[in-house]
Amino acid sequence: MHDLQHPPAPDPGAAGPAELPDAATNVGRLAATIERLREAVREAQHAAEGRALIEVAKGILIERLGCGLTEAARQIATLAEQAGVSPIEMSADIINHAARDRISETAREFLNAARSRAAAPTGGDSGVAVRMRSAENGMLQAGDAQAVAESLLQHALTPLGATAVAVWAAGHDASLALAGYAGFNEAEAARWRYVPPGVATPARQALTERKAIWLRALSDVGLPSIGWHATPDGGRASVPAGTGGRVLGVLEISWPEPLETPPPQIVKQIEALAELCAHTLEWPAAAPAAAPPSELTDLADVLPDAAMVLQPCLDADGRLTDFRIRHTNRRFADPAGRPAALVTGALLLEAYPLAAQDDGLFSKIERVHATGEPFQSDRVTLTSLVDQVPLASVAHVSITRHGEDVLMIWRLQDEATRLASLLQHAQRLGRIGGFEENALTGEITWNSQLYALYGMNPGEPPIPLELLTEHAHPDDAVAIGRFLRTVLHHRQPASAAFRLQRRDGIARHIRVVAEPALSDDGHLLAIRGAYQDISSQHWTEMALAATRDQLAHTEQQAAERNRLALQLQRAIMPASQQPVEAFGLDVAVRYRPAEKEHLVGGDWYDAVILPSKKILLAVGDVAGHGIEAATGMVVLRNALRGLAATGAGPGQLLAWLNMVAHHLTENVTATAICGLYDPDTHVLSWARAGHLPPILIRDGQAAELDMIGGVLLGALSDMTYEESQVQLASNDVLLMYTDGLIERRDLPLHQAQQQLLRTATHPSTGLGHRLDHLLTHSRSDTDDDTCLVGIQLH
């Protein structure tokens, strides 16, 4: 199709049209016809879009000048000719001057900024005005949000470099629904049809914070969104779409490249488009109610707690300024003592001015009204003025939105009741039972939790401290006797732990704490204390001790296995060795073990001269860590050495090595590269088994060799492996490495490979120095083993 649209220019020295084949002549004519038809379609679309603007401008002139339709058309043409602009651009200016809306303000600010830079003529805002008015016209003609999104992208956003747009509708629970989209494929849109509450996305951030979120690149914040897999490094803008003080949705715009800080004029354009989307999202528009719905007031009246119905108050520009208290229920009690009739009908900030404090009550109500996300808290401070003195009280508050109105419910917490409730909950959760024994009357008082600890009914007589031994395990008699002597005889606080023998046969581990209450002259008045069930703690300590012993044994075994694996690895794979020179080829290897001993892996390398005078070069990575990976590495490395003596090519060697891994080991899988260098021809034959391809450095440029087929070793039996060859030239450097050199947790693999290619081109004084430089400047952060083999031809 590209060749049809742009046929090559004729060669002046070539034969004339009469000498060209008929097929070539027809193709050229067809391409010209297609281009002509496309231009006609574009002009027709442009004319149709502009015609609507011209008709609106005519209507404005007819109303303002009192002229006819023909005279209005002549006026537009004359004004356009005098200003040196097109009739469409002049029509957009007329509409802007007459409307005085958000779009006209945006165009005017863009013009003022251009004039201040002396970078635009008088009509410099016409392009912006036409785009904005065309987008508005397309949205008005659209039947749904999907058509609105397509109109936005076509008329207003594509000129700004955007490639996709999504229109999100906000639910009453702060969920998001994809109302319309353009530029994203259908499969991606289907995955993002609904975003539940609590899922963090740029659009939700804009909804909850009620401000525009501009991201240089979507990957900078790590938040997912529609189309993020396709353009993770592209810019995003998420702008709340609101009207009448409510955020009805979010307009999200995607750019394919990173987005620099936009100028204020562009921000204004996007915000104006978001406002247009808000009117779209409220279709069909419901007429505002003059009073709260009867269902909401009826609901407030039957609630057992104080409640009020609030209706938003908007200014001339549609911005929220306050809430009017339209209804209060019979439970309502004003903290300042005012009657409910005096508060009902007043503005919220007039009745309770301290509600406007930072992060105070008003901001919570405003957030619920804007986003629809309910608010509930057990501890909200309500502050009111009583005789010009702030009076604060703590309350349980619930705020929800119902249509346009907000319902606020609260229950003041009495301090004594709250503390008693907290104490009761603490005793229940801690399984604590309290008691008091009156030394003068002999009366014993237990709470309900203590009866539950003893397994007794609340109506039964309590058990005195003196009889505690009869209900305990015989082995605990000494400890209980010491406890009783300290409390009853020495009259000092004491505690003891014992095993309670309940009459239902259940044994519980109990800790008892008691202290005497003495009169001023030292006489014993009462003994107060508490029992706590520590059975769970006791058995936890027992299990913890057993687990600790088992863990110590397991750690000792693991340390021995890791030490054995590390010794095996270091014996076979030294960290580095002196470069080898053979047949005009320098060979150098480097090995960097894992920083943590428990991560001992199965990375391996080999460089050996075979009996055939060819040089075997190999690197590999066995999956896993520990002794299994190390022993698997030994098996594969030694097997490859033995198989290479047969004179087979690298593809056949990997096929045999795959059979060894699959049949002669226990579930060992690995990746590997096998290369054979022929010193006579300077040709390196190589094959790969699921491994990253080698890197060739030639004339200061680094590039990966072409990827060839080959699955990892041990996965399947009877596999074949492709071979490839590379002709080495003088001073060429070839690198083979394992993924521990480049793997990062925060970067995709292809980006890490690009960083390695840039590092590999650093100038060096020799092959060994080049490998050391690569290891030193490696940006990997996975603490994995790293093998690196380099060869350089003289």
Side-chain angles (χ1 to χ4, degrees), residues 216-483:
R216 177 184 176 276
L218 191 58
S219 58
D220 290 346
V221 295
L223 294 179
S225 187
I226 182 172
W228 70 299
H229 290 292
T231 56
D233 297 326
R236 285 294 173 104
S238 300
V239 185
T243 179
R246 285 196 302 148
V247 180
L248 302 176
V250 178
L251 175 64
E252 185 171 3
I253 307 168
S254 173
W255 282 267
E257 303 295 337
L259 183 65
E260 302 301 331
T261 303
Q265 294 77 27
I266 299 299
V267 175
K268 289 288 186 180
Q269 290 184 48
I270 301 299
E271 291 178 348
L273 295 175
E275 185 173 326
L276 291 177
C277 285
H279 294 289
T280 301
L281 293 173
E282 64 179 355
W283 290 342
S294 59
E295 294 83 358
L296 189 57
T297 58
D298 292 343
L299 172 63
D301 287 337
V302 299
L303 292 174
D305 300 316
M308 63 171 60
V309 178
L310 305 173
Q311 187 179 51
C313 298
L314 310 178
D315 60 13
D317 296 329
R319 297 183 178 88
L320 179 69
T321 59
D322 204 343
F323 290 90
R324 186 171 301 279
I325 304 174
R326 297 303 304 267
H327 181 75
T328 57
N329 65 356
R330 56 188 178 84
R331 299 279 185 176
F332 172 81
D334 181 63
R338 294 169 295 187
L342 186 61
V343 176
T344 303
L347 294 176
L348 181 64
L349 292 180
E350 291 180 357
Y352 304 100
L354 296 182
Q357 293 177 341
D358 291 343
D359 197 28
L361 183 62
F362 186 83
S363 64
K364 295 179 175 63
I365 298 174
E366 184 182 20
R367 181 187 181 94
V368 172
H369 174 261
T371 65
E373 184 175 8
F375 171 82
Q376 185 172 344
S377 175
D378 289 332
R379 292 190 59 81
V380 174
T381 302
L382 303 181
T383 307
S384 59
L385 289 174
V386 180
D387 297 332
Q388 303 302 317
V389 177
L391 178 64
S393 56
V394 179
H396 172 90
V397 173
S398 173
I399 306 173
T400 54
R401 189 182 76 190
H402 302 266
E404 292 290 334
D405 298 321
V406 176
L407 176 64
M408 175 179 167
I409 309 169
W410 72 95
R411 182 193 309 124
L412 296 178
Q413 294 187 2
D414 178 72
E415 190 68 18
T417 302
R418 187 173 63 87
L419 291 178
S421 176
L422 287 176
L423 179 59
Q424 182 178 3
H425 283 297
Q427 290 178 347
R428 179 180 57 83
L429 294 175
R431 301 183 62 82
I432 299 174
F435 70 91
E436 179 182 271
E437 294 189 8
N438 192 316
L440 302 180
T441 63
E443 181 182 2
I444 302 175
T445 304
W446 280 10
N447 66 0
S448 58
Q449 186 61 36
L450 186 52
Y451 277 103
L453 289 180
Y454 267 84
M456 299 169 55
N457 297 322
E460 298 182 64
I463 300 172
L465 280 179
E466 293 183 346
L467 302 180
L468 187 58
T469 307
E470 299 178 6
H471 298 269
H473 194 280
D475 294 345
D476 298 328
V478 176
I480 294 176
R482 188 182 303 112
F483 163 75

Side-chain angles (χ1 to χ4, degrees), residues 123 152 162 314 346 373 516 563 600 609 655:
L152 277 177
L314 310 178
E373 184 175 8
R563 187 161 48 249
V600 174
I609 302 175

Side-chain angles (χ1 to χ4, degrees), residues 562 569 593-602 624-626 745 782-785:
N562 290 335
Q569 188 184 63
E595 296 183 5
K596 299 177 181 179
E597 291 187 356
H598 69 277
L599 293 179
V600 174
H625 297 89
R745 299 180 179 91
T782 58
D783 296 329
D784 202 358
D785 292 6

Side-chain angles (χ1 to χ4, degrees), residues 407-663:
L407 176 64
M408 175 179 167
I409 309 169
W410 72 95
R411 182 193 309 124
L412 296 178
Q413 294 187 2
D414 178 72
E415 190 68 18
T417 302
R418 187 173 63 87
L419 291 178
S421 176
L422 287 176
L423 179 59
Q424 182 178 3
H425 283 297
Q427 290 178 347
R428 179 180 57 83
L429 294 175
R431 301 183 62 82
I432 299 174
F435 70 91
E436 179 182 271
E437 294 189 8
N438 192 316
L440 302 180
T441 63
E443 181 182 2
I444 302 175
T445 304
W446 280 10
N447 66 0
S448 58
Q449 186 61 36
L450 186 52
Y451 277 103
L453 289 180
Y454 267 84
M456 299 169 55
N457 297 322
E460 298 182 64
I463 300 172
L465 280 179
E466 293 183 346
L467 302 180
L468 187 58
T469 307
E470 299 178 6
H471 298 269
H473 194 280
D475 294 345
D476 298 328
V478 176
I480 294 176
R482 188 182 303 112
F483 163 75
L484 294 176
R485 283 194 301 273
T486 303
V487 175
L488 301 177
H489 180 68
H490 299 292
R491 298 181 180 177
Q492 294 179 356
S495 64
F498 65 97
R499 284 162 290 182
L500 177 65
Q501 300 282 9
R502 301 193 339 180
R503 62 186 180 186
D504 55 7
I506 297 176
R508 310 295 298 177
H509 289 264
I510 301 293
R511 178 177 298 279
V512 59
V513 179
E515 64 176 4
L518 305 177
S519 64
D520 295 338
D521 55 2
H523 289 87
L524 181 63
L525 299 179
I527 298 174
R528 302 186 181 96
Y531 291 82
Q532 183 180 14
D533 187 348
I534 59 172
S535 300
S536 299
Q537 177 183 348
H538 172 77
W539 294 117
T540 300
E541 291 176 353
M542 295 290 292
L544 183 60
T547 303
R548 190 181 296 113
D549 294 341
Q550 184 178 4
L551 180 60
H553 179 67
T554 303
E555 289 178 347
Q556 182 180 2
Q557 287 183 327
E560 292 176 355
R561 289 170 60 86
N562 290 335
R563 187 161 48 249
L564 176 60
L566 190 61
Q567 290 173 353
L568 178 62
Q569 188 184 63
R570 289 175 177 174
I572 299 176
M573 306 291 295
S576 63
Q577 64 184 41
Q578 295 299 321
V580 177
E581 182 177 355
F583 309 110
L585 190 71
D586 286 343
V587 181
V589 296
R590 293 292 185 269
Y591 176 73
R592 181 177 63 191
E595 296 183 5
K596 299 177 181 179
E597 291 187 356
H598 69 277
L599 293 179
V600 174
D603 289 18
W604 55 276
Y605 63 84
D606 207 353
V608 62
I609 302 175
L610 300 175
S612 62
K613 305 305 180 184
K614 292 184 179 181
I615 300 177
L616 172 67
L617 303 168
V619 293
D621 185 359
V622 177
H625 297 89
I627 189 66
E628 292 82 3
T631 54
M633 172 267 293
V634 174
V635 171
L636 295 183
R637 184 172 183 266
N638 291 341
L640 182 59
R641 277 197 170 191
L643 293 170
T646 63
Q652 183 61 59
L653 292 178
L654 287 184
W656 287 338
L657 197 61
N658 176 69
M659 295 178 63
V660 172
H662 186 78
H663 297 288

Side-chain angles (χ1 to χ4, degrees), residues 25-300:
T25 303
N26 292 334
V27 167
R29 291 172 179 171
L30 179 60
T33 301
I34 292 176
E35 186 62 29
R36 189 165 55 252
L37 292 176
R38 286 185 173 179
E39 183 62 28
V41 170
R42 284 194 291 266
E43 291 178 358
Q45 290 178 342
H46 182 70
E49 295 164 359
R51 193 178 301 116
L53 298 183
I54 294 176
E55 293 301 324
V56 174
K58 287 180 183 179
I60 294 174
L61 292 181
I62 291 173
E63 189 272 335
R64 297 290 174 89
L65 302 180
C67 61
L69 184 62
T70 304
E71 178 63 19
R74 190 183 64 81
Q75 286 284 351
I76 293 176
T78 302
L79 293 174
E81 182 179 0
Q82 293 175 352
V85 298
S86 66
I88 296 177
E89 293 173 328
M90 178 53 63
S91 298
D93 287 341
I94 293 174
I95 296 172
N96 285 339
H97 285 291
R100 299 295 177 181
D101 58 357
R102 185 67 176 271
I103 296 180
S104 60
E105 293 177 4
T106 302
R108 192 178 306 110
E109 292 184 7
F110 192 92
L111 174 61
N112 294 335
R115 285 175 173 172
S116 65
R117 298 191 301 268
T122 303
D125 68 330
S126 297
V128 174
V130 171
R131 292 202 309 270
M132 300 286 286
R133 290 301 177 187
S134 297
E136 180 185 30
N137 180 65
M139 295 171 67
L140 292 176
Q141 294 179 357
D144 53 17
Q146 176 62 32
V148 167
E150 295 172 356
S151 176
L152 277 177
L153 183 62
Q154 176 185 357
H155 295 101
L157 298 179
T158 299
L160 300 180
T163 56
V165 61
V167 179
W168 302 95
H172 293 297
D173 56 352
S175 61
L176 291 173
L178 186 60
Y181 66 94
F184 301 110
N185 59 56
E186 294 182 0
E188 185 71 6
R191 286 193 293 268
W192 287 89
R193 282 296 180 188
Y194 176 73
V195 181
V199 177
T201 65
R204 179 171 302 286
Q205 186 177 357
L207 174 66
T208 56
E209 297 182 9
R210 286 177 289 158
K211 68 178 184 180
I213 304 298
W214 292 81
L215 301 177
R216 177 184 176 276
L218 191 58
S219 58
D220 290 346
V221 295
L223 294 179
S225 187
I226 182 172
W228 70 299
H229 290 292
T231 56
D233 297 326
R236 285 294 173 104
S238 300
V239 185
T243 179
R246 285 196 302 148
V247 180
L248 302 176
V250 178
L251 175 64
E252 185 171 3
I253 307 168
S254 173
W255 282 267
E257 303 295 337
L259 183 65
E260 302 301 331
T261 303
Q265 294 77 27
I266 299 299
V267 175
K268 289 288 186 180
Q269 290 184 48
I270 301 299
E271 291 178 348
L273 295 175
E275 185 173 326
L276 291 177
C277 285
H279 294 289
T280 301
L281 293 173
E282 64 179 355
W283 290 342
S294 59
E295 294 83 358
L296 189 57
T297 58
D298 292 343
L299 172 63

